[in-house]
Amino acid sequence: MRNSLQIAKIFGIPIKIHISFLLVLPFFTWIFAIQPEPFGFAGIESEPVKYLLSLLTAILLFASVLAHELAHSYFSLRYGGSISEITLYLIGGVSSMKEELHDPASEAKMAFVGPFSSIVIGIVLLAFNYLFNPTVSPSEGGPFFLMVFILGYINIILGLFNLIPAFPMDGGRILRAFFAQRMGFVEATEKAASIGKIFAFLMGIIGLFISFWLILIAFFVYMGASGEERQVKNRYGKL
Ligand SMILES: [Zn+2]
């Protein structure tokens, strides 16, 4: 993919950063810097320290997303799939597959290991904070524990969010794999995509009352569901 820069190679897979990342990294740094505790560093008085911690947190968040993607890739490689590259957009990574796993059980497991690893990372970080932070409260133990808390918390949210049974989240793939045990791949994709759209629609309606962000996420889920459906139909010539 153009517009992206290779930063490393792990398990022989090129790891790339998309150009949008250059905008998203400062944006996330800024968000962490203005959020009050326990979700940001607004309480820290020194401006340079505040922004450095926020930048470090944003970079470590990106490392967690990479770990999530590597979990998918590692599983896929072990079960005979192949990954051509991983591209990171910070809010999500995309593992481009040369060959998809067509055994539904393997596909479900491959989709599941990503959110599973995010949740494990989250639990380990929160447990670390709970065990070693002398004050237990994330905001009173100093900036280091605050950062551990924020990263732990976001990883758990990231893991749970990805389990929502709608494309483009991993939960959508798990759902498709579930249907694919009973019907063809295209039909299973259609069914999973329509459930994803219903989810998006409900999310959007709830968003009208709760938060603008939810409407935005709903839109992203709707586009993801339609995109996956179109892509699969295209590949199998059923458009
Ligand atoms: Zn994933």
Side-chain angles (χ1 to χ4, degrees):
M1 192 186 291
R2 267 193 227 164
N3 303 330
S4 52
L5 179 80
Q6 184 169 334
I7 51 156
K9 213 168 186 181
I10 306 178
F11 308 138
I13 304 162
I15 313 292
K16 295 182 177 175
I17 287 181
H18 189 255
I19 200 160
S20 64
F21 187 79
L22 297 174
L23 292 173
V24 175
L25 193 63
F27 177 68
F28 269 66
T29 303
W30 177 70
I31 294 274
F32 286 133
I34 60 161
Q35 282 287 316
E37 294 166 353
F39 300 112
F41 303 99
I44 291 176
E45 278 184 25
S46 156
E47 293 286 310
V49 173
K50 185 198 294 183
Y51 279 93
L52 268 174
L53 274 169
S54 301
L55 176 65
L56 186 63
T57 308
I59 291 173
L60 289 173
L61 179 60
F62 135 79
S64 324
V65 171
L66 179 58
H68 172 120
E69 287 307 317
L70 282 172
H72 286 308
S73 304
Y74 181 72
F75 189 91
S76 172
L77 291 178
R78 268 196 62 180
Y79 287 82
S82 70
I83 306 286
S84 51
E85 62 182 41
I86 293 177
T87 311
L88 292 164
Y89 301 85
L90 197 67
I91 39 166
V94 171
S95 304
S96 309
M97 276 173 274
K98 269 189 245 160
E99 283 162 55
E100 296 207 37
L101 299 175
H102 273 302
D103 156 36
S106 304
E107 217 211 330
K109 281 184 214 153
M110 183 196 150
F112 183 71
V113 290
F116 179 73
S117 59
S118 296
I119 291 170
V120 169
I121 293 171
I123 290 175
V124 168
L125 292 175
L126 291 185
F128 178 88
N129 208 20
Y130 185 76
L131 292 174
F132 297 104
N133 179 351
T135 67
V136 181
S137 145
S139 43
E140 284 169 25
F144 172 73
F145 286 111
L146 183 55
M147 186 169 74
V148 171
F149 174 80
I150 293 172
L151 287 169
Y153 187 85
I154 297 181
N155 267 289
I156 288 183
I157 299 286
L158 212 78
L160 292 178
F161 182 73
N162 260 298
L163 286 175
I164 294 175
F167 293 119
M169 269 78 74
D170 294 319
R173 287 168 201 287
I174 297 172
L175 186 67
R176 171 173 59 196
F178 174 77
F179 289 136
Q181 283 172 326
R182 287 157 194 80
M183 57 189 85
F185 188 69
V186 178
E187 209 183 329
T189 302
E190 266 171 3
K191 207 161 180 180
S194 44
I195 290 179
K197 286 176 190 169
I198 294 170
F199 251 94
F201 193 67
L202 292 176
M203 232 191 250
I205 296 211
I206 296 169
L208 284 177
F209 298 101
I210 296 181
S211 147
F212 167 74
W213 290 104
L214 204 56
I215 302 177
L216 209 70
I217 294 170
F219 177 72
F220 160 78
V221 171
Y222 192 90
M223 296 304 286
S226 320
E228 179 74 25
E229 197 178 2
R230 201 167 41 238
Q231 211 180 343
V232 167
K233 280 184 177 169
N234 243 334
R235 197 181 323 146
Y236 293 86
K238 289 196 182 175
L239 200 68

